[in-house]
Amino acid sequence: MRKKVVSAAEAIAILRDGDTLCCSGFGSNGVPVELILALEQRFLETGSPKDLTLLFGGGPGDGAGGGVNHLGHEGMLKRVIGGHYGLVPKVGQLAMQSKIEAYNLPLGVISHMYRDIACGLPGTASKVGLGTFVDPRLEGGKIGSKTTENIVEVIKLGGQELLYYKTLPISVCFIRATTADAEGNLTMERETLTQDTLAIATATRNSGGLVIAQVERIAERGTLNPRRVKVPGILVDCVVVAQPENHPQNLGGAYNPAFSAEVRVPLDALEPMPLDERKVIARRAAFELLPNSVVNLGIGMPEGVAAVANEEKILKYMTLTAEPGLIGGMPASGMNFGAATNPDAVIDMNQQFDFYDGGGLDLACLGLAECDPLGSINVSRFGPKLAGAGGFINITQNSRTVVFVGTFTAGGLKIAVENGALKILQEGRAKKFVNKIEQVTFSGPYAARNGQNVLYVTERCVFALTPQGLELIEVAPGIDIDRDILAHMAFKPIINNPKLMDARLFLPEPMQLKDLLLSISLVDRMQYEAAKGIAFYNFQGLCVRSKKDVEDIRHATETLCRPIGHKIAVVVNYDDFQIDEAVVDDYSAMVRQLTDQFYTNVSRYTTSAFMRLKLGEALEKRGLSAHIYETPQEAIASAAGN
């Protein structure tokens, strides 16, 4: 067994001119700083390695000079393929000045490319990017005049139009973990994310390249728990123990044990947002949240939606996610974006994009920078500034509902919220609603053809996407349409009968959003999926207080089931369900009658042990199945099996 633990200088000596280097790191999280600094030092001292191709996904940097920005030297880089450039401006500047060849591809595509490189495939096929600037019929993801090679093609596969992204072998990769043993097995217990560390290492190893891992500490051989090993030693060539200052949890500050799930912390102590334009926008977007929904919140303005949901005590009724692999908890903001407090799970980024690309998101809330009459959005490039698409394209093209949030104008906007109305004190200098956007990061026509539900939320009005373009559907109290909206747009939207935005958005006290969230109509709570032959009843948060409530449920059930014409299986969610003792018998009798008339099988579930016992006893008295499952997966499996 050769020695794997080496110095940074010894590891960096591996690199040669013209190599393809892949670097892990999502924003400021998990950046292999020690390795990057050592590579920069070698180049500055020797002029080598030069003409590197740099491949990265989440823009490992701090928006200034940290992270991969240390590699932004002329001559050092020849070509860059990246997902997000906002936090690596020095590299982005080289691209925009055409001093290097450069491409901006969707973050999820790059994430999946790692797996395809590992499999030895020549490219990655995806519907993601169609109609946007990465589509070769627009720009093909190219940045700058020096970039001429086409690495994206339009293909047809199975009768479906797709984009084909060419892969490339990786010569060397920089990855990062917490602990390594002498054989190079890596664990990530103090990291905020697992990122694509395993996929990158596998891709590099199977390309015949060399895998260099930066870690915080070394463990005795054989002492690591094999279930915690994220990257096996067979993939790792070199291990470098970093200086503590070069191994921060993220580039934004000190170690936070809540970000690594070492502890869970109370969220009640978080201060509510001040009532300004950001909070008004976040509040309106929060009206689109639904119980049991899976949500993605982007960086910047969308982060306020999580703060509003926390203030309104509704976080527990939905699952917030972030593209680097976070599921549940409270997503972090600012320089900590990509981390989360109290997450339920942390999975690899490529697995998260499997879920996103396949349509797993119920709602996505992302930023609004530039918008054209057909609802297309640009958030990726503005003049000399290159932000990059990041996960924006993957998320917006595949979420069931998309809410874009941002102020109506930019640059110096000042507003006041007075007496439940909005007042514009100073208009922003720049229009956001323009005739032509600089780059298409989201295609309104593509979304309209696919029937997506898309809203554009600002502090003074709300637009909806239609096949004909933007329609003005809501206006804030105190706002004049001609003076405050149309006068500051380059085009006139569709205007029919816009209504007033909800008055609660402009009042200082909490909006009691929980009551609205859980007051879903019975019709909306009951859905039948013909392909599965199963009806799903979402009774989460439903309160049954009277005989009228019981009869309302009976009527809604008959309205759904009678037209189907045959008996069906049913799955019922009873989480947070409440029922008065006085109507338990009436409710049970109603369930028995509906079961005999319409159901082949009923599977029920709730996480509440008390409710399982209470409902179980009541149903058993009526001769009905008394078993109530603890999870939806168990209930659905039971329904599907009968």
Side-chain angles (χ1 to χ4, degrees):
M1 180 68 69
R2 64 186 178 85
K3 179 184 176 184
K4 290 191 175 182
V5 181
V6 299
S7 68
E10 290 173 317
I12 295 305
I14 292 171
L15 277 84
R16 297 291 180 263
D17 294 350
D19 275 349
T20 295
L21 168 65
C22 181
C23 185
S24 69
F26 181 89
S28 72
N29 296 278
V31 181
V33 176
E34 183 93 7
L35 300 178
I36 292 170
L37 291 178
L39 178 57
E40 180 188 38
Q41 181 180 355
R42 179 186 161 192
F43 176 79
L44 293 177
E45 291 176 352
T46 68
S48 180
K50 61 184 179 181
D51 294 332
L52 298 176
T53 293
L54 176 63
L55 173 64
F56 62 81
D62 60 358
V68 166
N69 290 290
H70 285 284
L71 307 184
H73 298 288
E74 289 189 53
M76 188 178 193
L77 300 177
K78 177 184 179 182
R79 172 180 286 198
V80 176
I81 302 172
H84 183 65
Y85 286 83
L87 294 178
V88 289
K90 291 190 175 181
V91 177
Q93 188 176 32
L94 291 177
M96 294 297 285
Q97 294 174 350
S98 297
K99 293 181 177 179
I100 58 174
E101 300 171 20
Y103 301 85
N104 180 203
L105 304 182
L107 176 59
V109 168
I110 291 178
S111 189
H112 287 152
M113 282 175 65
Y114 298 145
R115 297 191 316 201
D116 290 337
I117 294 169
C119 294
L121 297 175
T124 297
S126 177
K127 62 185 177 183
V128 172
L130 287 167
T132 74
F133 74 89
V134 297
D135 191 316
R137 291 165 294 196
L138 275 72
E139 301 174 45
K142 300 172 187 173
I143 306 169
S145 60
K146 194 169 185 177
T147 308
T148 58
E149 182 184 349
N150 295 318
I151 65 170
V152 187
E153 300 174 8
V154 179
I155 63 170
K156 277 203 170 182
L157 189 63
Q160 184 177 3
E161 188 175 76
L162 301 171
L163 295 183
Y164 179 75
Y165 299 86
K166 297 178 183 178
T167 57
L168 69 167
I170 301 172
S171 311
V172 182
C173 73
F174 292 169
I175 59 174
R176 180 182 136 145
T178 300
T179 308
D181 67 12
E183 295 183 7
N185 295 299
L186 307 178
T187 60
M188 305 185 72
E189 60 271 19
R190 284 168 58 88
E191 306 297 313
T192 59
L193 303 163
T194 59
Q195 302 184 54
D196 281 325
T197 307
L198 175 59
I200 291 172
T202 310
T204 306
R205 177 69 169 76
N206 286 356
S207 295
L210 297 164
V211 178
I212 306 175
Q214 171 181 318
V215 299
E216 183 177 333
R217 56 201 180 191
I218 299 295
E220 179 70 24
R221 176 183 176 183
T223 60
L224 297 179
N225 183 335
R227 291 190 176 273
R228 298 186 72 179
V229 171
K230 186 61 187 175
V231 181
I234 59 170
L235 301 178
V236 179
D237 294 284
C238 300
V239 175
V240 174
V241 180
Q243 298 296 316
E245 63 271 20
N246 293 332
H247 198 89
Q249 186 183 42
N250 63 56
L251 303 180
Y255 176 75
N256 184 339
F259 287 167
S260 59
E262 184 179 340
V263 299
R264 293 183 71 85
V265 299
L267 297 177
D268 295 340
L270 296 176
E271 288 292 325
M273 297 172 67
L275 185 54
D276 57 11
E277 65 274 16
R278 297 178 69 89
K279 185 166 188 176
V280 169
I281 293 168
R283 279 179 154 186
R284 177 58 186 84
F287 270 69
E288 301 304 314
L289 297 171
L290 293 172
N292 297 317
S293 57
V294 181
V295 182
N296 173 276
L297 299 178
I299 192 169
M301 189 77 74
E303 297 165 358
V305 179
V308 168
N310 184 61
E311 180 185 353
E312 297 285 343
K313 314 298 183 190
I314 60 173
L315 271 179
K316 69 177 182 178
Y317 297 108
M318 64 209 61
T319 302
L320 303 184
T321 68
E323 57 266 37
L326 296 169
I327 298 174
M330 177 79 167
S333 61
M335 281 296 295
N336 294 324
F337 181 76
T341 300
N342 303 347
D344 296 326
V346 180
I347 62 176
D348 285 1
M349 185 157 63
N350 54 75
Q351 296 168 333
Q352 187 80 305
F353 278 112
D354 288 340
F355 178 69
Y356 283 3
D357 289 357
L361 282 173
D362 298 300
L363 172 70
C365 184
L366 297 105
L368 189 165
E370 272 189 333
C371 182
D372 72 10
L374 294 178
S376 294
I377 294 282
N378 170 34
V379 297
S380 47
R381 190 172 72 190
F382 307 93
K385 184 178 179 182
L386 175 65
F392 191 95
I393 299 176
N394 297 81
I395 295 164
T396 57
Q397 284 195 331
N398 297 299
S399 177
R400 292 179 179 88
T401 295
V402 182
V403 180
F404 294 111
V405 295
T407 55
F408 189 78
T409 57
L413 174 67
K414 294 181 181 179
I415 65 108
V417 181
E418 300 174 350
N419 301 317
L422 189 71
K423 184 177 181 181
I424 308 299
L425 303 179
Q426 177 178 297
E427 194 57 76
R429 296 183 298 274
K431 293 179 180 179
K432 287 189 173 183
F433 293 89
V434 296
N435 283 317
K436 182 175 176 58
I437 57 178
E438 186 170 351
Q439 191 168 68
V440 179
T441 330
F442 169 81
S443 171
Y446 180 86
R449 287 195 301 272
N450 289 328
Q452 271 184 293
N453 179 33
V454 184
L455 295 179
Y456 306 75
V457 175
T458 76
E459 78 288 348
R460 68 188 73 176
C461 62
V462 179
F463 299 96
L465 180 66
T466 75
Q468 293 74 40
L470 288 191
E471 179 182 353
L472 179 66
I473 61 170
E474 295 178 26
V475 178
I479 292 298
D480 180 83
I481 292 178
D482 289 323
R483 180 193 66 210
D484 300 318
I485 297 176
L486 299 183
H488 305 286
M489 300 179 70
F491 61 89
K492 185 176 181 179
I494 301 166
I495 302 177
N496 290 316
N497 296 298
K499 64 180 183 179
L500 281 178
M501 295 172 71
D502 196 294
R504 288 173 291 179
L505 302 174
F506 307 95
L507 298 174
E509 60 269 12
M511 300 184 296
Q512 305 303 318
L513 200 54
K514 178 180 175 182
D515 295 337
L516 176 67
L517 186 77
L518 300 181
S519 63
I520 311 169
S521 69
L522 286 169
V523 172
D524 290 335
R525 288 178 179 271
M526 297 177 165
Q527 302 292 330
Y528 175 61
E529 293 192 13
K532 297 180 180 179
I534 300 175
F536 295 89
Y537 296 175
N538 176 19
F539 285 176
Q540 180 171 13
L542 184 65
C543 296
V544 180
R545 304 297 191 197
S546 65
K547 290 185 178 181
K548 181 182 183 302
D549 293 338
V550 174
E551 289 307 308
D552 287 344
I553 295 173
R554 184 198 307 275
H555 176 71
T557 303
E558 291 174 345
T559 301
L560 174 72
C561 294
R562 187 168 282 116
I564 296 172
H566 58 81
K567 288 189 173 184
I568 58 173
V570 175
V571 176
V572 188
N573 173 10
Y574 277 115
D575 268 350
D576 296 316
F577 178 82
Q578 299 178 45
I579 184 168
D580 281 0
E581 290 290 344
V583 294
V584 167
D585 285 342
D586 296 291
Y587 183 83
S588 300
M590 178 268 295
V591 171
R592 178 57 193 256
Q593 180 255 313
L594 294 174
T595 300
D596 292 342
Q597 187 174 1
F598 296 116
Y599 307 152
T600 59
N601 175 56
V602 183
S603 298
R604 307 170 179 89
Y605 69 92
T606 175
T607 55
S608 167
F610 173 76
M611 186 56 67
R612 287 198 298 274
L613 178 63
K614 182 177 180 179
L615 275 177
E617 289 177 347
L619 295 173
E620 190 171 20
K621 287 179 182 178
R622 295 283 176 174
L624 296 167
S625 171
H627 186 76
I628 301 177
Y629 295 97
E630 188 173 357
T631 67
Q633 291 80 10
E634 293 173 319
I636 293 170
S638 174
N642 288 274

